[in-house]
Amino acid sequence: MLQFGQQIKAFWAVLLLTLSLFAPRVMASAYEAELPANLSTAKDMCALLPCAEVFPGAKHFSERKGQPPYVEAYDRNAPDKKLLGYVMLSTDITDTPAYSGKPVVTLIGMDLTGRFVGVKVLKHSEPILLLGIPESALINFNNQYLGQSVADKLEVGPSRPEEDVIGLDAISGATVTVIAQNQVVMMSGAAVARQTGIIQPTVRNPARFAVTGKRYDWAQLMQMGAVQRLVVTPEQVGLPRGPEPFIELWFGDLNHPDLGRSLLGDNGYDSLRSRLQDTESAFFLIRSAGAESFKGSGFVRGGIYDRVQVKQGADSFTFRDLDSYNLYGLEAAGAPRYTESAIFVIRSKSFSAAHPWKLAFLGNRVDRATGHRSFAVFESKYWLPDNVLEGGRPKVVEPDAPWVRVWKNQSWQIALFALVLVAVTVVYAFREKLTRLSTHKNKWPVNAFKYSFWAISMAWVGFGLMAQPSITQVLTWFHALLFQWTWSLFLSDPFIFLFWIFIIVTVFLFGRGLFCGWMCPFGSLQETIFKIAKALGLKRFQTQVPQKWHDRLKWLKYAVFFFLLTVSMFSMGLAEKLSEVEPFKTTFLVGVMNRSWPYGLFVAAILGVSIFIERPYCKYICPLGASLAMPSTFRWFGLKRKQDCNSCKACAVGCGAQAIDADGRIDHRECLHCLDCMILYTDPKGCPPLAKERKRREKDGLEITPIGVNGYFIPIHPATSHADQISAKAASGPDPRMPTDPTVPAHKRGVGFVAWFFLELRDHIWPWSTEGWRSQRALQVAGLSLAVAATVAWGMAAVGSLSSSAIIAWWFGWSLYEVLIRLSGRRYVKDGPWWRDHYRVAGVMDMLSYVGFKNLLIGAALFLALKSMGVSL
């Protein structure tokens, strides 16, 4: 034992030394790069940015012009200079977020024909591009745009010549990032190309109005959607929360005679129409609250309104001073008071009042932590009511969102993958039928399915689809839920999205073991190596970690998970670097040969140890497994146990996951669902208690009845019980059918439904108890003050005076205290479905799992509630 302990220490020393080599080298990087503070407002953009790098051959660049802004590139700085093309900054045009929730700031060059001549990423916040996937991969992705036209259909994925779609090769493991980048490049290029005439504007049929002569008041106009509201709060632009909005705008159509006369009166409407051409359209805009002006800094004589745009489809319309008229008053009864107003004229023939459009308010968002300014667009949709248009609203076919195109392009693969996930769930749901068909000498009724799913998960899911779930997704989804949830980002990777639906459902149904033991690509790879080594004659070298050491080492993965979670609260970038403790990226996403030698050595070490020890990474290191193990505490359905399991060690000896303790209890947080114990459970020759009873019956000439659901032979005589089959030693021992001893809280015994409901609510919210007060009075009193402090912290967050990091730290501290106080009094958790009162004594990990999961849900709910109230955290 001592020798093994020394070997373990040496192994971990080598492993830690290997991991220390993973520290990234300090080098120039676009990750969270510092950009000039005045970049969003500087007229001479190219004095601050390397425009020449994205437009080779250009020697001179103009100041910003147009709306959205762009820069002209010339061959030289001379009177007869020649225009070569245009340079644009992506955040001047779109703030499309990537996987991190922040935009990838990109500088783009485009020639006079609309072909891209240069693309350079200036700044990104994608943690996945820190390690494993080098930034050169993003550079190579961007290089695919060179020579392509902005008028082409460029999509991430395979080319489809029959649909004129040009495919772009994705970056393995960064699908969402490159889909967002494709949106950024194409939207930016198209916006400038339309301004400069490279792309012709879309032609839409003009509106035909159904005129009734009816007049509407303001309330009626609001109800029918003829006037719309756009509100920007201070928190949305990085300012402290206040009682007044940053700006509140109202706008609406002035083209329809009934609406125009209702808003402007007869004289005002007639005056407006006399100044408009037949092909021109108008709308009104007023500011009813807020200190910000919609006129913007560029509003001077001959200037532009740089805060206001109208968007219709892919077209954007901006306004100069000659495109606006004074609005002297609104005639509609009940109209709000306003402090700024204008009538804007859209002079483009491509605009149609009959089609939907959006008002966009453009501004800058300030990061309160860094002071960095970023581009922000706030939009509100508008579409004339159906009943004011002849024939109703026209049929408008909007282009599919990028994530929709991804799902359509890979529909058959997605359907097949979903079918595989459903199949493994159904097969496992009928596990008892399969295990009854198996014996300890013939496990193929189970193994045929299990090995098939291993092969699928490794070859197709892992190396083919590269859909290996990761702890980084847990951290990213957690942060997105709290701060900026965007469905479209997560839907952009359909295989990972479906995989996580499968994981969440099955973890709560069966525990982590179905994913970890049957469908995890890396887990399947380890297990396959172990099985192949066994078949090749290496069985004599294969061993289990002594139970004493196993019981210590299994906690390491939880420490890794909690450490990564804590670090991510303060720096997702650092957490992503440290998550290289996962070998998944090297194995499946990037490839061992495409990474530096320490990463390959780490993977080789894990897979090498897997020859001799079954699934070492899954059992001792995997933070993803630890994150799934915690909710596995509350799985609905567990594996079968019988009373004799507390004295018979047959299952425990053969358990590769070492998840069965000395009392025959299964730890479902550690169980990988190999089902070997379930095979023995009904095997009359393999299960020692059943074999003993079978031999007795054969000797006495008694009937061999089938095995019942309780794991014993069905009694020969109905009046008898199976209790006579239980050994005296087992009968006097603990009950192994639950992970810990069963219990029933005294206050929950014999109460009605209403009382049960309120007691259930109290149990989750109120951790103090009479028992705890008797045993740990000082701890209980200290908790009251801590609870008050945590409540005050949430209140301070609600008024905007406490940051998200601070409130998370407070909530984390309260959760740790709650674990202690519940262990001193309410030391119980439920086993199985929550609506059943199957209570059991809680161990430390049980209580950590319960409190951590419960407070995670409560904290997320409070965060979302504060966000819905407009609080910026």
Side-chain angles (χ1 to χ4, degrees):
M1 180 69 71
L2 181 61
Q3 183 180 4
F4 182 84
Q6 293 172 341
Q7 293 173 344
I8 287 292
K9 290 178 179 179
F11 170 76
W12 284 111
V14 172
L15 180 61
L16 291 174
L17 178 61
T18 302
L19 289 175
S20 69
L21 298 174
F22 279 44
R25 291 167 294 187
V26 178
M27 57 181 292
S29 168
Y31 180 77
E32 295 293 4
E34 287 291 331
L35 297 178
N38 61 335
L39 177 59
S40 61
T41 57
K43 290 184 177 182
D44 192 357
M45 181 183 78
C46 292
L48 304 175
L49 300 178
C51 295
E53 292 186 25
V54 297
F55 211 113
K59 303 300 182 182
H60 175 70
F61 300 92
S62 72
E63 293 184 345
R64 274 185 170 116
K65 57 177 56 180
Q67 191 67 7
Y70 63 90
V71 166
E72 293 177 336
Y74 295 93
D75 62 344
R76 56 185 176 275
N77 187 7
D80 56 346
K81 59 188 178 183
K82 179 183 177 183
L83 178 63
L84 301 177
Y86 312 97
V87 174
M88 65 216 76
L89 182 65
S90 64
T91 48
D92 280 344
I93 301 166
T94 176
D95 58 352
T96 300
Y99 197 75
S100 62
K102 298 179 181 180
V104 176
V105 184
T106 308
L107 196 63
I108 304 163
M110 182 176 67
D111 67 17
L112 296 176
T113 67
R115 295 194 177 276
F116 295 109
V117 295
V119 180
K120 180 181 178 63
V121 172
L122 302 176
K123 177 180 179 179
H124 71 84
S125 303
E126 303 300 279
I128 199 168
L129 297 178
L130 279 174
L131 285 172
I133 301 178
E135 284 190 354
S136 60
L138 185 58
I139 294 173
N140 292 335
F141 174 81
N142 287 334
N143 286 341
Q144 296 178 90
Y145 291 98
L146 303 184
Q148 303 290 354
S149 172
V150 69
D152 293 334
K153 295 181 180 179
L154 301 177
E155 294 183 6
V156 177
S159 297
R160 302 193 305 280
E162 68 281 1
E163 301 178 34
D164 296 325
V165 172
I166 299 174
L168 300 173
D169 294 332
I171 299 175
S172 299
T175 306
V176 177
T177 300
V178 296
I179 288 176
Q181 180 68 350
N182 185 50
Q183 281 185 270
V184 166
V185 174
M186 297 307 293
M187 290 176 65
S188 300
V192 174
R194 285 188 177 86
Q195 283 191 74
T196 56
I198 296 174
I199 296 178
Q200 295 302 314
T202 305
V203 177
R204 301 177 179 87
N205 293 328
R208 294 185 300 164
F209 302 120
V211 181
T212 63
K214 184 177 180 180
R215 298 293 182 268
Y216 302 95
D217 61 24
W218 188 262
Q220 291 172 321
L221 292 168
M222 287 178 55
Q223 185 177 8
M224 63 194 295
V227 295
Q228 294 291 341
R229 179 171 173 255
L230 191 159
V231 177
V232 180
T233 63
E235 306 90 83
Q236 290 177 291
V237 293
L239 299 176
R241 186 187 180 197
E244 290 292 319
F246 181 70
I247 192 169
E248 179 183 53
L249 302 174
W250 294 90
F251 63 100
D253 179 85
L254 293 177
N255 304 293
H256 193 289
D258 292 347
L259 302 181
R261 295 183 187 279
S262 297
L263 289 161
L264 303 179
D266 291 335
N267 293 335
Y269 178 75
D270 291 337
S271 174
L272 173 63
R273 292 311 308 176
S274 69
R275 290 182 283 179
L276 299 181
Q277 300 293 326
D278 292 339
T279 58
E280 296 175 343
S281 303
F283 69 96
F284 79 91
L285 179 65
I286 62 172
R287 180 188 67 187
S288 56
E292 184 65 11
S293 167
F294 65 70
K295 292 184 177 181
S297 58
F299 181 63
V300 295
R301 185 172 180 82
I304 63 171
Y305 290 86
D306 62 358
R307 300 290 178 85
V308 177
Q309 279 186 10
V310 164
K311 298 180 179 181
Q312 191 168 60
D315 296 319
S316 296
F317 306 98
T318 56
F319 308 98
R320 305 182 72 84
D321 62 340
L322 297 178
D323 300 325
S324 68
Y325 301 130
N326 291 328
L327 174 63
Y328 296 106
L330 290 173
E331 296 293 326
R337 299 179 61 183
Y338 53 86
T339 53
E340 192 173 49
S341 63
I343 295 174
F344 288 101
V345 180
I346 303 172
R347 305 194 187 278
S348 173
K349 296 179 181 179
S350 65
F351 180 84
S352 172
H355 287 247
W357 54 277
K358 292 184 289 188
L359 176 74
F361 176 79
L362 291 74
N364 290 310
R365 183 187 292 115
V366 180
D367 188 322
R368 283 193 279 177
T370 64
H372 174 70
R373 290 178 174 269
S374 60
F375 180 78
V377 180
F378 307 95
E379 298 176 338
S380 182
K381 294 182 179 180
Y382 187 93
W383 200 353
L384 279 173
D386 188 81
N387 64 319
V388 303
L389 294 169
E390 285 189 8
R393 288 173 169 174
K395 183 178 180 181
V396 177
V397 179
E398 296 287 347
D400 290 331
W403 71 266
V404 174
R405 294 198 294 270
V406 171
W407 284 69
K408 287 182 176 180
N409 295 342
Q410 304 182 57
S411 56
W412 72 268
Q413 289 179 296
I414 295 170
L416 186 58
F417 182 64
L419 183 63
V420 169
L421 297 180
V422 171
V424 71
T425 306
V426 171
V427 167
Y428 188 81
F430 287 95
R431 62 193 177 280
E432 290 189 41
K433 293 186 180 294
L434 293 176
T435 55
R436 282 178 177 270
L437 296 173
S438 306
T439 67
H440 71 293
K441 292 185 177 181
N442 178 25
K443 300 177 182 178
W444 278 104
V446 170
N447 288 348
F449 287 102
K450 186 166 61 176
Y451 293 172
S452 297
F453 288 124
W454 285 355
I456 291 171
S457 68
M458 280 188 301
W460 186 49
V461 178
F463 290 108
L465 301 178
M466 293 177 283
Q468 167 71 62
S470 166
I471 189 62
T472 58
Q473 292 152 8
V474 175
L475 302 178
T476 301
W477 286 28
F478 173 69
H479 277 252
L481 180 65
L482 294 182
F483 303 117
Q484 188 177 359
W485 181 266
T486 307
W487 277 106
S488 60
L489 288 179
F490 302 110
L491 288 167
S492 296
D493 196 334
F495 301 105
I496 290 294
F497 185 80
L498 290 177
F499 221 155
W500 272 105
I501 293 176
F502 165 81
I503 291 170
I504 292 169
V505 171
T506 58
V507 160
F508 284 100
L509 286 176
F510 311 118
R512 66 175 277 219
L514 183 54
F515 164 71
C516 293
W518 289 52
M519 285 303 295
C520 175
F522 193 79
S524 300
L525 180 60
Q526 291 178 87
E527 187 78 19
T528 300
I529 289 173
F530 183 82
K531 297 292 186 186
I532 291 176
K534 184 177 181 180
L536 293 177
L538 297 178
K539 181 179 179 180
R540 64 183 182 274
F541 300 108
Q542 293 178 333
T543 185
Q544 285 188 339
V545 175
Q547 196 65 37
K548 176 182 177 182
W549 282 97
H550 170 81
D551 290 339
R552 295 173 179 174
L553 293 175
K554 70 181 182 181
W555 299 110
L556 177 62
K557 62 180 175 290
Y558 297 99
V560 173
F561 167 64
F562 282 117
F563 178 70
L564 290 176
L565 182 63
T566 302
V567 170
S568 73
M569 293 295 101
F570 303 96
S571 172
M572 270 297 295
L574 179 58
E576 177 73 19
K577 293 177 184 178
L578 296 173
S579 70
E580 283 293 335
V581 73
E582 287 184 329
F584 308 153
K585 190 186 299 181
T586 301
T587 306
F588 300 111
L589 303 183
V590 182
V592 175
M593 304 306 295
N594 297 323
R595 304 202 70 183
S596 56
W597 67 267
Y599 299 96
L601 178 62
F602 183 48
V603 172
I606 293 173
L607 298 182
V609 174
S610 299
I611 296 174
F612 309 104
I613 298 176
E614 191 171 353
R615 291 182 181 251
Y617 180 80
C618 301
K619 291 191 285 188
Y620 305 122
I621 305 175
C622 184
L624 176 64
S627 71
L628 302 181
M630 294 181 66
S632 295
T633 304
F634 316 107
R635 82 276 169 274
W636 287 7
F637 306 106
L639 300 179
K640 294 291 186 69
R641 297 276 82 194
K642 64 184 76 172
Q643 187 65 31
D644 275 290
C645 292
N646 63 18
S647 57
C648 172
K649 308 300 181 185
C651 291
V653 170
C655 180
Q658 298 177 251
I660 303 177
D661 66 13
D663 293 326
R665 289 168 164 155
I666 296 177
D667 184 351
H668 285 87
R669 287 186 293 266
E670 302 297 320
C671 176
L672 298 177
H673 293 195
C674 68
L675 297 184
D676 283 359
C677 63
M678 286 287 288
I679 292 173
L680 283 179
Y681 185 77
T682 55
D683 185 356
K685 294 183 179 180
C687 176
L690 291 182
K692 180 180 179 182
E693 174 65 12
R694 176 183 57 80
K695 291 177 181 178
R696 185 187 71 81
R697 290 190 181 190
E698 288 176 345
K699 179 180 178 181
D700 296 341
L702 300 176
E703 179 185 0
I704 306 297
T705 58
I707 309 299
V709 294
N710 57 15
Y712 293 98
F713 287 101
I714 294 175
I716 298 174
H717 304 290
T720 62
S721 169
H722 72 275
D724 59 331
Q725 301 178 45
I726 303 175
S727 67
K729 180 180 179 181
S732 61
D735 185 351
R737 290 172 294 184
M738 296 183 73
T740 56
D741 292 334
T743 186
V744 178
H747 61 278
K748 296 289 285 291
R749 296 172 183 168
V751 298
F753 174 78
V754 175
W756 175 90
F757 178 82
F758 284 104
L759 288 171
E760 184 80 4
L761 190 63
R762 190 195 71 175
D763 269 4
H764 293 306
I765 297 176
W766 188 261
W768 296 278
S769 63
T770 304
E771 298 85 350
W773 180 260
R774 293 170 182 166
S775 62
Q776 298 284 345
R777 185 168 299 182
L779 185 65
Q780 302 275 330
V781 171
L784 292 173
S785 59
L786 187 59
V788 171
T791 304
V792 170
W794 279 108
M796 293 173 65
V799 298
S801 58
L802 199 63
S803 68
S804 58
S805 299
I807 188 61
I808 289 172
W810 266 106
W811 199 234
F812 183 76
W814 163 254
S815 298
L816 288 178
Y817 168 76
E818 187 176 349
V819 170
L820 295 175
I821 201 169
R822 285 185 180 274
L823 288 173
S824 69
R826 300 187 186 278
R827 191 168 186 147
Y828 51 82
V829 292
K830 284 189 176 182
D831 198 73
W834 65 270
W835 58 84
R836 296 180 183 173
D837 281 344
H838 290 174
Y839 289 95
R840 60 183 179 85
V841 176
V844 174
M845 195 60 204
D846 292 325
M847 194 59 73
L848 279 171
S849 299
Y850 163 70
V851 172
F853 188 70
K854 172 180 70 75
N855 285 358
L856 174 63
L857 294 180
I858 293 174
L862 289 171
F863 261 86
L864 293 175
L866 292 177
K867 284 179 64 179
S868 67
M869 295 164 53
V871 178
S872 178
L873 291 170

